[in-house]
Amino acid sequence: MPTFTYMTRCDGCGECVDICPSDIMHIDPVYRRSYNVEPNFCWECYSCVKACPQHAIDVRGFADFAPLGHSVRVLREEKMGTISWKIRYRDGRVKEFTFPIRTTPWGSIKPPSDYAAPDANALGSQMLAHEPTALGVEMLPTLPVLDKKEV
Amino acid sequence: MSQRSSKNIKFVDADILVIGGGFGGCGATYESRYWGRDLKIVLVEKANIERSGAVSHGLSAINCYMGMQWGENQPADFVRYARGDLMGLVREDLIFDIARHVDSTVHKFEEWGLPIMKDPKTGRYLREGKWQVMIHGESYKPIIAEAARKSASEVYNRIMVTHLLMDKTRPNRVAGALGFNVRDGQLHVFRAKAVIVAAGGASHVFRPRSVGEGAGKTWYAPWSSASAYGLVLRTGAKMIQMENRIVLARFKDGYGPVGAWSLLLKAQTTNAYGENYEAARLDEIKSLVGKYAETTPLPTCLRNHAMLQEVKAGNGPIYMQTQQVLDTKEKENTGWEDFLDMTVGQAVVWASQNIDPKEKPSELTTSEPYVMGSHATCSGAWASGPEDCAPADYQWGYNRMTTVEGLFGAGDTIGGSAHKFSSGSFTEGRIAGKSAVKYVRELAGNPPQVDEAQLTMLQQEIFKPLENFEIGRNEIVAGSVAPSYISPLQGLQRLEKIMDEYVGGISTFYMTSEPMLNRGLELLTMLKEDLDHIGAEDLHQLQRAWELHHRVWTAEAVLRHTLYRQETRWPGYYYRGDFPKLDDADWHAFTASQYDVKTGEWTMSKLPVHHIIE
């Protein structure tokens, strides 16, 4: 339906509503559980599937071109820094994959204001934050200035 | 309704307002904080920055990385590549600027925790192609969002920005932006000294190949609703290259990326008979575009052209011969991760259709057209270039500032600087961020003022679709057919049909002409008038209504630019049947448009293309 919510697993927490980039996971007022209100605006990005604490959301491929009987399930484990996929084919074949997602602890990025403040004059230079060190080369490349006659 | 109460307004004052929390906006937020420690920097996003923008899904490669530290490429090389791919027409100064800074961005990403794959032999980043490096990028966006959140004074999620606000005293200066909260309808008025627009380019302007449920599975995100252009062009900012839409050759229906398969795994693309058709069509391509057919690598649009000719000749389906290259488990993992990191829907297609890439080839096709400035094409605002190397007529004070004072852009917003992708968009955001800090510092004591009259008028306009529905709904028993209003989706489908049939979409094999464009403009003008009669039943549909507004305005710009350029510059992206060949004598230039808010008139012009790199 692209994404859909299993009735017996969803507890109505709203994590999917909060994360959906397309704003299409809404809470049904009768059942107090989430559902996809606009499958034709779903990208199958899996953001809600990954975010659901109950693993209540799944994907059924777009009816326009996806025959039934498949499933692509995911388990994203933030603390472990991995994402695992289980792909079941229409004919029953199964493929499984696990990939890394991050090499540092969540929340560990140093804010830009924690670095030494740049020299006020540097605001007029072409240098961006952490350059040239972060470039891995000694100098920021530049070009000769051209006046109008030359171009 | 409380949503329309004049009391239900939140005013937010900022030094710098960043609109859009994708890669461009996150870069702008980070850099403006680095240089402006004491400034109030506000980031506003339509969805939730944790997973918003084109990279919400994840990515499997960073497509713009020089590798200067290892002497792999220099910025000038990248300019030559982008210029070749765009048939000669790019802002070389802007591209050079991104290319010289992009490595520091990518190195920061790695430091923050993005897993970049390494070549076991050299220890360097694993190259997919000359410019691309492979990543384990499922969490690319959440990592970048963390950096942005730690940089902003405030982040506003779920605010649909509908308009930019102009200064009361100086009509060509921006004063902020207006939007509403998609959850509770509260009107938000952002007043800012500088505004950086880093909103999305355009999917769903042309009719997609799948029109049912599968309309969601476009190549570019369905939430990329052309706000980058819909917001900016209505201020009177000069726009360029809006005709330069992009058509992608991708795995059919799921739109899975082809880069890793063709460049890294070396899978061949063939017709249905297993023939490599590109080389055979070179002479014909030469007759259309002359010397540009000799560009290496062959420009993307020309590769599309060869594929289209092959399909027209009845030699389809076109296939990527995946089964010929997956001889190890490692390669199979690479191929699957390429999809699972960024286009899970393609894996769903394979599973549902029993396609194992180890056993059989997969179909490729050309997509419907999209409008963007961040990927491989050049649409967007005309921007001031880098102070140290932009030609004189390409700069007017602040790098990445549009022709409207105080209005900056990054990513899809800025025209002429193609091939930014994720890292380049973030880098362009950084450039704009630093530049905006400089602008704010130099503006001291002369802040813009929001025009109260403009605000009152827009406030009524924003919520009108709710009113249209509320009143018009009473005329009918039930259902979606009403005499006085159309839904946002009905409006969108009309837009897509007009653009598809008259402006070079899939149904005409991307063909258009002056008479077709003129007829399209007649119909588009009526759709624009009907935008006053959109009916929205709730706040979610109100968001869709404003997304439609942005798409319609953008579509008009695309149409007018397409009409103005009397040549076929990019065969494979679109064709002018009345001007079937490339014409360097008359059209080695940028097309520019400027919308006059007061008169409603569009002015078209040519702008020079300066070649500052040999």
Side-chain angles (χ1 to χ4, degrees), chain B residues 155-166:
Chain B
V155 175
Y156 288 84
N157 285 325
R158 299 289 170 195
I159 305 288
M160 172 75 203
V161 174
T162 59
H163 299 80
L164 294 174
L165 293 168
M166 303 306 279

Side-chain angles (χ1 to χ4, degrees), chain A residues 44-122:
Chain A
E44 286 181 354
C45 77
Y46 273 69
S47 294
C48 61
V49 181
K50 292 166 186 172
C52 178
Q54 307 298 332
H55 307 293
I57 307 177
D58 202 349
V59 165
R60 187 268 285 141
F62 292 105
D64 304 49
F65 49 78
L68 290 169
H70 58 273
S71 89
V72 176
R73 304 300 307 262
V74 64
L75 181 65
R76 183 171 180 267
E77 295 172 290
E78 274 206 347
K79 283 201 177 73
M80 286 174 62
T82 57
I83 188 151
S84 305
W85 297 92
K86 187 170 187 173
I87 296 140
R88 189 179 299 278
Y89 274 60
R90 178 179 164 91
D91 63 12
R93 266 180 293 180
V94 173
K95 288 181 186 282
E96 294 185 82
F97 302 97
T98 298
F99 306 115
I101 60 173
R102 186 165 180 171
T103 61
T104 57
W106 290 93
S108 63
I109 293 174
K110 186 174 168 180
S113 48
D114 283 6
Y115 291 85
D119 185 82
N121 296 332

